[in-house]
Amino acid sequence: MFIIPSSALEQFTVLRRSTRTSVDMEIEPSNSRKWKHSPISEDNSTSLDDDDEETETESGADVNEDLTKAMSKQLDKGELKKLWTDGEYKRVGCLEIAAKEAHAGNNLPAANSKITMLGGTAISIAEFDAIKSIKKSILGRKIKNFADLKEHINSGLPGDLFHIGKNQLVLEYVNHGLRYTKTSGECLSQEIHFISKHNNQKELRLDCAHMIWHIIIEIFELLRVSAFWPSIER
């Protein structure tokens, strides 16, 4: 059995304390560690920005904010009905196409190609850019306002006559309807006959005969009696 001198024991104790102190300084207790840039705050809530208040325009969009608000307002349900009541039929149709094309990510030439083909007035670059800068989720909801407008239009029509289809473009409906107005309606001309050079007798004009034939065929198809005339060829 060895007996350690008291002087050596004191030196050993001092060395052990100094060693523990240096280790404790280098290694911090786990419960005292904190991240310098912690993504989680002390109240266990994320520090990311919430999107509770939905903005009107897409982030980073370089457009006229006043024009964007004006175009967005025109796409509201009440404004669309007011434009329609005021007789701005083509304007409503042009807005529908522009909004749908912008929402689909298409460009202005694609939108104006459809608009002009259906007899509408081309949308300007500024107006189209303003519509396209509207946040996509908001623009999608505004496009649904045209479905409500179509129901509003049909509610004021007699029976099932001249109704606009759910998937029919407003401008297409307007363009088709304008063909039957008092000033530009498609109707048979008063002069439906001409004098034949062969026998000096009245003869039905070819264009009038074609229209009458078309009407007869359509009527028979609607009445489902065309099956009785199997030899008819268009």
Side-chain angles (χ1 to χ4, degrees):
M1 178 174 170
F2 294 95
I3 298 175
I4 300 176
S6 59
S7 58
L9 183 59
E10 292 177 358
Q11 292 180 0
F12 176 76
T13 303
V14 172
L15 178 61
R16 185 179 178 183
R17 288 178 179 175
S18 62
T19 304
R20 290 183 61 184
T21 304
S22 62
V23 172
D24 292 342
M25 292 176 61
E26 292 177 1
I27 303 177
E28 298 179 3
S30 59
N31 59 359
S32 65
R33 298 178 190 172
K34 288 188 178 180
W35 299 97
K36 294 182 179 180
H37 303 286
S38 175
I40 308 298
S41 59
E42 293 182 358
D43 60 351
N44 295 327
S45 62
T46 59
S47 61
L48 300 177
D49 294 334
D50 295 330
D51 192 21
D52 295 334
E53 296 183 0
E54 197 169 21
T55 56
E56 182 79 10
T57 60
E58 292 283 3
S59 58
D62 185 16
V63 293
N64 187 323
E65 291 185 2
D66 292 336
L67 181 58
T68 299
K69 291 180 180 179
M71 297 304 297
S72 179
K73 184 177 180 181
Q74 285 193 40
L75 296 174
D76 289 341
K77 189 185 302 183
E79 289 296 319
L80 290 175
K81 288 182 179 180
K82 184 178 183 301
L83 285 172
W84 185 265
T85 303
D86 293 342
E88 298 290 338
Y89 311 123
K90 289 189 175 183
R91 176 61 178 175
V92 174
C94 294
L95 287 173
E96 180 189 21
I97 293 176
K100 288 184 175 180
E101 291 297 312
H103 187 265
N106 297 330
N107 54 22
L108 178 61
N112 279 337
S113 176
K114 290 184 179 181
I115 290 173
T116 54
M117 184 177 63
L118 294 173
T121 303
I123 294 288
S124 67
I125 297 175
E127 287 182 329
F128 187 78
D129 287 344
I131 294 174
K132 201 166 186 177
S133 68
I134 299 174
K135 199 166 185 177
K136 195 169 184 178
S137 59
I138 297 177
L139 185 58
R141 292 197 296 268
K142 289 184 179 293
I143 289 175
K144 294 180 180 179
N145 292 336
F146 289 95
D148 295 330
L149 176 66
K150 292 172 186 178
E151 292 181 1
H152 172 71
I153 294 171
N154 290 338
S155 65
L157 297 174
D160 295 329
L161 297 176
F162 313 113
H163 278 212
I164 181 173
K166 292 182 179 179
N167 299 322
Q168 186 178 15
L169 292 171
V170 173
L171 190 57
E172 180 185 7
Y173 171 77
V174 171
N175 185 44
H176 182 75
L178 288 175
R179 294 163 57 189
Y180 298 93
T181 59
K182 293 180 180 180
T183 56
S184 60
E186 287 187 353
C187 58
L188 292 175
S189 173
Q190 293 180 355
E191 299 295 332
I192 64 174
H193 296 96
F194 70 96
I195 303 300
S196 175
K197 296 180 180 179
H198 301 289
N199 54 15
N200 293 326
Q201 298 295 321
K202 285 185 177 181
E203 188 173 335
L204 191 64
R205 287 172 49 180
L206 292 178
D207 56 342
C208 295
H210 173 75
M211 293 181 70
I212 293 173
W213 178 253
H214 177 73
I215 292 171
I216 291 174
I217 294 299
E218 291 297 326
I219 290 175
F220 275 109
E221 285 185 352
L222 291 173
L223 297 177
R224 299 182 181 277
V225 297
S226 59
F228 292 101
W229 288 9
S231 60
I232 292 181
E233 294 183 359
R234 294 188 179 184

